[in-house]
Amino acid sequence: EWNTKMMDKVAVKLAASDVQNQNANVDEYSFGGRRGEADSVIFKQMALDNVISEMARNNHLNNEIYIHDLSAYAVGMHNCLSIPFDDLLANGFNTRQTDVRPANSINTAFQLVAVIFQLQSLMQFGGVSATHLDWTMVPYVRKSFVKHFIDGMNYCYDTAWHMENNAELLNPETISIDINGCNFYRENKKAYNYAMDMTERELKQAVEGMYHNLNTLQSRSGNQLPFTSINYGTCTLPEGRMVTKALLEGSIKGVGKFHKTPIFPCGIFQCMKGVNRSPGDPNYDLFRLALESTARRIYPNYANVDWSNAAGYDINDPRTYFSTMGCRTANLGDINAEPGTNPQMKDGRGNICPVTIIMPTLAMQVRTGYDALAYPHKAREEEVVESFIKLLDKKINEAKEMLLERFEHICSQSPESAKFMYENHTMLGYHPEEGIRSALKHGTLVIGQLGLAETLQILIGCDHTTEKGMKLAKRIEQLFKDRCAEFKKEYHLNFGVYYTPAENLCYTAMKKFKAKYGEIPNVSDHEYFTNSMHVPVWHEISVFDKIDIESQLTGYSSAGCITYVEVPSGVKNNIDALETIVNYAMDKDIPYFALNIPLDNCNDCGYQDEIGEKCPQCGSTNISRLRRVTGYLTGNYKTAFNRGKQYETEERVQHIH
């Protein structure tokens, strides 16, 4: 009977007769997608029946604590990683078939970034990121410059070697040095200008190649692009500024014959006081270029290097600057930082495994113990709240146990299971004699949450856009924060509070909730739950009010969160307004900020803007409508998103009020 049920489920997936679009980046109609979905049916059931504890199984099936990527649980994969590109590009790396030499030009370096992204994505089930790509690429801009300079002047090798080992080659003040009585810059200005021109051309082509590679080279059985993110914007060296400028111009240009918006990598501009946020800052011009790219391409998003929770970074080490992945995952202080290593090191660390507490379910379990949804007495409401807090505390502790279970299962795997990762030390701190736990302990174990707004409605009849709702919201978030801090200290592992993206979960959790509790006004009268602690998307509210509300809660998160606002497409003509909004978010201590701007594309003529039913240029109705799914973008939301996310997208109101 069990086999029959399983085979029926597998048959449905193989035939693509019930496509759910659980991941907007996966084509479930493709051969690879159908096979992957069929595999997931088996793997999920294997995990539920043979790997996880009864407590974990019950929480997952009862819509109380969701186990993310259950299909990857049984095989023991981890979630995501920030890749140490500095080391891999400088030293080379091994693959299953061969070894790869260190990069010796900017073109090769960018090609290898795409290759490494793809190789590492096969070792895990989540995203991959570069934490400071502008700094990473500085040596390779210099190497290319030297090669072009040699071509331009056909000078001796010894002189070229001397140049390559001098800092800031592109700075005339540095290059104007006397070597054997010859002033290089003054005597070889034509060669210098030639080298600059050729280096800029090579860099432009290298960036264009990376964008095309990351939007075309699929992995994971051919049905999914790697979830890639790149952070940049703080390097003030001339080479780093060139890289940031090229990345932004490549984003604005787009990819393909119609210059479409690149879905990957997710661009993240790192805002930093004194570096790029104000007129007079050395990279302020790049901040303005980033805003122009956001207005036209939705990317980049914005990371706040000066976020209060990220204090302690080393100004001289960009690997410690606050960075994030497109979805929102972040790594803060490492309780297991190795001697001599800054705890804020980001490279080689990631989220090991997440779970999410579905808070509306818990709130309804408490409420159903009472008479009605409307309470005539304040004392009764207080009693309900206290009962909820007690239940939530219990579930946070169970979530911790579920994470420890999965962590131990992941640690039990052989390093041969992820040979590229462990052989090349892409995950920080791996010591073969200690086993893979030596690396995994530097990552994070995160407790996420879903549906704060609906939970508050169930408990007290209002959400956190009100003073009363915000007071209870802060109490709930403080409980998450306190418990994770306690777990981190007790187990010496990096437990953290995660404001879950819930791309698929927002819909599947709501379906289960409705099946049990029916349709409740302001709670389950939509097709989805509100993500984490966000203001519900249908609220009529201004940009600044939304930032004000969510900024009161972002500080409780230590493992990733995002705040975004909806603005009209016409904002591309008002970059000053975008600058005001982004700076306002940064000043309000928002760690990770994004703007949602409607972007439609005519598939027949390539016209891009906010489009009604027909293309204003050619009259076609063959329109792709690009929208943000969670922290990252995907294709046409009407075909790529699951049903819940489609409804959510259509109910989003613009925060211009």
Side-chain angles (χ1 to χ4, degrees), residues 323-513:
S323 62
T324 186
M325 296 196 186
C327 62
R328 71 198 61 190
T329 297
N331 293 290
L332 295 181
D334 180 8
I335 196 171
N336 292 310
E338 297 193 343
T341 303
N342 189 311
Q344 292 292 359
M345 174 69 73
K346 304 296 187 286
D347 282 13
R349 298 176 60 206
N351 173 250
I352 304 303
C353 50
V355 295
T356 290
I357 297 177
I358 303 168
M359 293 194 294
T361 298
L362 307 186
M364 282 304 297
Q365 288 176 2
V366 171
R367 285 300 297 264
T368 52
Y370 295 85
D371 297 329
L373 285 174
Y375 293 113
H377 303 297
K378 187 174 185 298
R380 178 67 65 85
E381 183 177 283
E382 291 176 353
E383 186 178 342
V384 169
V385 168
E386 294 306 317
S387 296
F388 170 78
I389 294 295
K390 183 177 180 180
L391 178 57
L392 177 60
D393 197 5
K394 177 176 181 289
K395 290 301 175 181
I396 290 175
N397 276 275
E398 290 181 4
K400 173 257 297 179
E401 294 297 328
M402 293 166 67
L403 288 174
L404 290 173
E405 278 182 22
R406 190 168 190 176
F407 181 73
E408 292 299 328
H409 183 64
I410 294 172
C411 288
S412 72
Q413 306 305 311
S414 165
E416 296 295 317
S417 302
K419 193 170 183 178
F420 174 80
M421 181 166 66
Y422 292 115
E423 184 175 297
N424 294 294
H425 297 272
T426 60
M427 186 176 279
L428 177 73
Y430 173 57
H431 301 291
E433 66 279 5
E434 298 177 22
I436 65 175
R437 182 187 297 268
S438 60
L440 291 163
K441 69 182 181 181
H442 298 290
T444 55
L445 309 177
V446 301
I447 301 177
Q449 59 181 260
L450 179 67
L452 175 64
E454 289 84 358
T455 299
L456 296 172
Q457 289 283 359
I458 294 169
L459 296 174
I460 58 176
C462 60
D463 61 32
H464 51 306
T465 58
T466 66
E467 184 178 351
K468 179 181 178 182
M470 179 58 75
K471 182 179 179 180
L472 179 54
K474 289 181 176 179
R475 184 180 176 190
I476 290 170
E477 301 306 337
Q478 188 67 52
L479 180 61
F480 274 93
K481 182 178 180 180
D482 290 345
R483 291 295 177 263
C484 283
E486 293 166 7
F487 301 155
K488 185 174 183 177
K489 184 176 180 181
E490 179 179 355
Y491 296 95
H492 219 70
L493 291 170
N494 297 308
F495 281 90
V497 182
Y498 188 51
Y499 288 160
T500 306
E503 176 191 338
N504 182 53
L505 180 59
C506 73
Y507 176 54
T508 57
M510 177 60 85
K511 283 200 301 183
K512 289 184 176 181
F513 185 93

Side-chain angles (χ1 to χ4, degrees), residues 604-657:
D604 291 331
C605 75
Y607 178 82
Q608 295 177 21
D609 206 334
E610 189 170 5
I611 302 174
E613 291 186 6
K614 294 182 179 181
C615 173
Q617 184 165 281
C618 72
S620 171
T621 58
N622 184 16
I623 310 298
S624 292
R625 304 186 187 278
L626 183 65
R627 301 293 185 271
R628 187 185 305 277
V629 60
T630 54
Y632 64 93
L633 304 179
T634 189
N636 185 3
Y637 85 90
K638 289 183 174 291
T639 57
F641 289 13
N642 63 60
R643 182 180 176 187
K645 273 295 175 186
Q646 288 184 32
Y647 274 100
E648 188 227 77
T649 301
E650 290 167 359
E651 292 182 358
R652 295 174 185 174
V653 299
Q654 292 181 350
H655 299 121
I656 302 298
H657 183 61

Side-chain angles (χ1 to χ4, degrees), residues 121-139:
S121 72
L122 296 171
M123 305 295 106
Q124 55 186 61
F125 59 80
V128 282
S129 77
T131 65
H132 55 285
L133 194 59
D134 47 347
W135 291 91
T136 296
M137 289 298 173
V138 166

